[in-house]
Amino acid sequence: MQTTRRTFLGMTALAAGAMALPRMAAGGQRPSLKIAVQDLRTILEPVDSASIANVSWRVQYSIFDQLLRTDYNDNFRLNFALAKSLKQIDVKTYEIGLRDNVKFHDGSTMSADDVVLSLGPDRLRGEKAPGAAVLANFLSSLADVQKVDDRTVRLLTTTEDPVFTNRLGAWGTQIISAKAWHAAKNYDAWAAKPIGTGPYKIGDVRSGDEITLVAHDEYWGGQPPFASIRFKRVPEIAARIAGLQAGDYDIVTDITPDHIAEIEGVKGLSVTGVETTWFRFLTFSPLKTPILKDVNLRRALACAIDRDALADGLWNGRAKALNGWQLPIFGAINYPGRKGVSYDPALVKELLAKSSYKGEEIPYPSVGTYYPMQLADNQALVEMWKAAGLNVKLIMCENWTQVDNLGGITDTSGGAFYADPVSMLWQIIGPTNDLQAGGGWTNAEFNTLGHELETTTDLAKRKAAFKRMQDIVEIEDPCITPLHSMPFIYGQKSNVSWQPNPLPQMYLGPKISPEPVA
């Protein structure tokens, strides 16, 4: 699942500087890295719809490169990556010069043909292409890719797009080997072991259990610091920590506050994390759930949530309450002084009195174990609603398909991939994403405004559209409400030096010198 979160998170004992070479193993050999993760997806094609998930991105981020690169640890600065130049020809045409001598994992050299295939109809832009969902979510304005010569391509958009260059450094423009794509026996074989240009190539893949990456020593960005990286699926947090303590793993993911002392108290181990732009939030599906058609009831559900209590009580201050959809990184497009949705018991009482709600049961399906502290969040929310006179029933599900089918209230996550609200509120609940595409909610005015937000460069119009979109989803037709930031907390051996991202991705390659896009 995917979709929204945020940039305030009070982490203590946070991570240090940039990726550095770890201590060498005996004999001067590069070490291998072992990482225990909560879950894995073994479809490794980054534009496959099954790969739109936190647990996929953290593995894929070191396998592939995009045309541009967003440095999330440098205020979301956009840098050149596989592109070495970018020139806007007109409002809908961009010319890109490609970096020289970039080697794919199969040893072939990247050319314009690879970019045309990567962003073409067979893989990304076709109606039945495996990347159709990624295109809709991340690259909706991309219309065509044209080869100019072996080192140059032109990208055409359907409309003017104020964030098009940001999109090129977010997700979906991972470049793959056209030669390897055509040589694959079938798509399933390709998706299990795709060929990219990143610092690590895919080694052994054991379905649902383990993925091993191997250093790609011809990487254009420098020598990878690890000889190999093994991601091991270990669903239970206690088992991940026990493995870290025993020396079986170098890094373990998804640590919760109640387990931090088990790591910090052990010599040679430490806890790390960064400020995050990833968030937990709820969606409401009135078109699937008759009781939720009442706007006053949906507003009451949102205003009955004490977000500070969730962030402080469950996360011991390591998360920050989120009241709205404006993030500091969005800058001038934000509306000064906007407060968003507040915990307001008096307003809840007023809204319920105006509503048609008579105590009917409201379904709240959840898998409960996908996110750190998810079940604790679920249970705390049910108790908050109960205290406000709202009869919400938590329904535990085995998978996300069951959750989607039941409608009601859904909890999920998402974040800002670049510094603009197109990457946040619009990407989360726009017409191509789960809530609207699955028939849970729709609003014609919201969709018209969202389309304007992503197709005009006029700041005043964009600012007005963003403000009105927030009014709709917070007051007039609530379909989504934020909860809090979602900390990414890792346990690790103290001699492993790296810097986490404020998104789910784990970049484990060499430090790349910045080449900012003007």
Side-chain angles (χ1 to χ4, degrees):
M1 302 290 286
Q2 77 271 12
T3 28
T4 332
R5 274 350 102 122
R6 154 210 222 143
T7 69
F8 321 116
L9 162 81
M11 296 284 272
T12 57
L14 296 191
M19 171 68 72
L21 287 173
R23 295 179 186 174
M24 291 294 178
Q29 302 269 328
R30 275 179 297 173
S32 292
L33 195 66
K34 294 167 287 186
I35 303 174
V37 298
Q38 171 262 344
D39 198 7
L40 281 175
R41 300 276 178 90
T42 49
I43 294 177
L44 294 174
E45 164 59 80
V47 304
D48 192 287
S49 59
S51 292
I52 306 179
N54 304 353
V55 296
S56 295
W57 293 330
R58 65 185 170 201
V59 177
Q60 295 166 335
Y61 204 54
S62 296
I63 303 173
F64 304 95
D65 293 310
Q66 303 196 99
L67 293 173
L68 302 179
R69 176 178 62 88
T70 302
D71 189 341
Y72 295 111
N73 292 313
D74 185 17
N75 200 34
F76 283 58
R77 179 179 295 186
L78 193 63
N79 290 275
F80 288 108
L82 297 183
K84 67 177 181 181
S85 66
L86 186 151
K87 178 172 64 175
Q88 188 167 1
I89 304 299
D90 57 42
V91 295
K92 296 194 290 186
T93 307
Y94 299 77
E95 187 169 281
I96 290 177
L98 299 176
R99 188 177 295 275
D100 297 323
N101 300 316
V102 172
K103 296 292 186 180
F104 284 107
H105 299 153
D106 62 1
S108 59
T109 302
M110 181 190 70
S111 74
D113 293 325
D114 300 298
V115 178
V116 170
L117 181 280
S118 298
L119 307 182
D122 289 345
R123 179 176 181 252
L124 188 68
R125 296 196 332 272
E127 190 174 316
K128 296 183 179 180
V134 165
L135 180 82
N137 285 335
F138 295 97
L139 293 162
S140 57
S141 66
L142 181 61
D144 197 11
V145 184
Q146 299 173 352
K147 177 180 176 180
V148 177
D149 57 43
D150 283 346
R151 312 304 313 151
T152 313
V153 295
R154 283 188 176 175
L155 306 185
L156 282 67
T157 62
T158 54
T159 64
E160 186 175 23
D161 185 341
V163 296
F164 185 68
T165 56
N166 298 95
R167 294 181 192 272
L168 299 182
W171 198 260
T173 67
Q174 288 88 353
I175 304 305
I176 55 122
S177 165
K179 174 185 174 184
W181 167 277
H182 290 302
K185 181 179 179 182
N186 52 46
Y187 176 73
D188 289 342
W190 163 263
K193 207 165 185 177
I195 302 297
T197 64
Y200 297 92
K201 53 189 174 183
I202 301 166
D204 186 41
V205 178
R206 300 181 185 178
S207 182
D209 181 64
E210 190 174 300
I211 297 171
T212 300
L213 307 182
V214 179
H216 174 44
D217 286 329
E218 292 185 280
Y219 184 53
W220 63 268
Q223 186 185 60
F226 303 101
S228 65
I229 303 169
R230 183 181 62 151
F231 292 90
K232 175 72 174 177
R233 182 178 180 269
V234 184
E236 299 80 14
I237 188 171
R240 293 198 297 277
I241 292 174
L244 180 67
Q245 293 171 337
D248 297 332
Y249 309 119
D250 301 293
I251 298 174
V252 297
T253 70
D254 301 300
I255 300 302
T256 54
D258 50 323
H259 288 281
I260 286 175
E262 299 171 41
I263 299 171
E264 288 186 328
V266 178
K267 184 178 180 181
L269 302 182
S270 61
V271 173
T272 190
V274 294
E275 248 182 68
T276 176
T277 57
W278 206 255
F279 313 98
R280 296 290 312 286
F281 62 92
L282 304 175
T283 60
F284 307 132
S285 297
L287 298 182
K288 287 184 175 180
T289 317
I291 188 64
L292 290 179
K293 290 182 179 179
D294 191 307
V295 170
N296 289 312
L297 174 57
R298 281 180 270 151
R299 283 193 68 194
L301 285 163
C303 294
I305 299 170
D306 188 339
R307 292 162 180 80
D308 287 317
L310 290 176
D312 295 337
L314 296 181
W315 286 95
N316 295 340
R318 292 176 181 264
K320 180 95 180 213
L322 180 66
N323 295 314
W325 305 103
Q326 298 189 154
L327 304 183
I329 57 172
F330 295 166
I333 200 171
N334 287 333
Y335 188 81
R338 188 179 187 93
K339 295 182 179 179
V341 180
S342 301
Y343 173 55
D344 192 337
L347 179 58
V348 171
K349 187 175 181 179
E350 179 184 327
L351 290 167
L352 289 178
K354 291 193 297 185
S355 77
S356 60
Y357 183 64
K358 304 300 181 185
E360 298 92 335
E361 190 175 87
I362 303 168
Y364 179 19
S366 175
V367 295
T369 57
Y370 183 78
Y371 303 113
M373 303 296 288
Q374 184 177 13
L375 183 57
D377 258 332
N378 297 156
Q379 294 170 334
L381 286 165
V382 169
E383 290 303 312
M384 290 178 185
W385 287 321
K386 182 179 179 181
L390 293 155
N391 180 18
V392 178
K393 181 180 180 181
L394 181 61
I395 303 169
M396 303 312 300
C397 299
E398 294 181 3
N399 52 57
W400 288 106
T401 300
Q402 292 180 3
V403 171
D404 293 340
N405 290 339
L406 286 170
I409 304 168
T410 300
D411 67 322
T412 185
S413 77
F417 277 78
Y418 48 89
D420 192 275
V422 168
S423 78
M424 186 79 161
L425 183 60
W426 179 235
Q427 187 168 294
I428 295 163
I429 56 168
T432 63
N433 221 310
D434 293 347
L435 185 63
Q436 290 204 59
W441 171 88
T442 193
N443 184 289
E445 183 186 3
F446 178 88
N447 290 342
T448 298
L449 291 164
H451 181 68
E452 182 174 21
L453 184 70
E454 66 174 352
T455 58
T456 179
T457 57
D458 186 311
L459 179 59
K461 290 181 179 179
R462 300 189 77 234
K463 187 171 183 175
F466 183 39
K467 178 181 181 297
R468 178 68 186 138
M469 290 166 73
Q470 294 176 83
D471 291 340
I472 291 171
V473 300
E474 290 175 358
I475 301 169
E476 297 176 21
D477 190 9
C479 66
I480 187 169
T481 196
L483 295 176
H484 54 76
S485 57
M486 189 171 86
F488 299 118
I489 306 176
Y490 304 87
Q492 66 176 58
K493 292 180 180 178
S494 299
N495 67 342
V496 176
S497 178
W498 73 295
Q499 184 177 22
N501 280 311
L503 296 178
Q505 293 92 320
M506 295 180 72
Y507 178 69
L508 297 157
K511 179 175 174 57
I512 301 174
S513 298
E515 298 178 50
V517 177

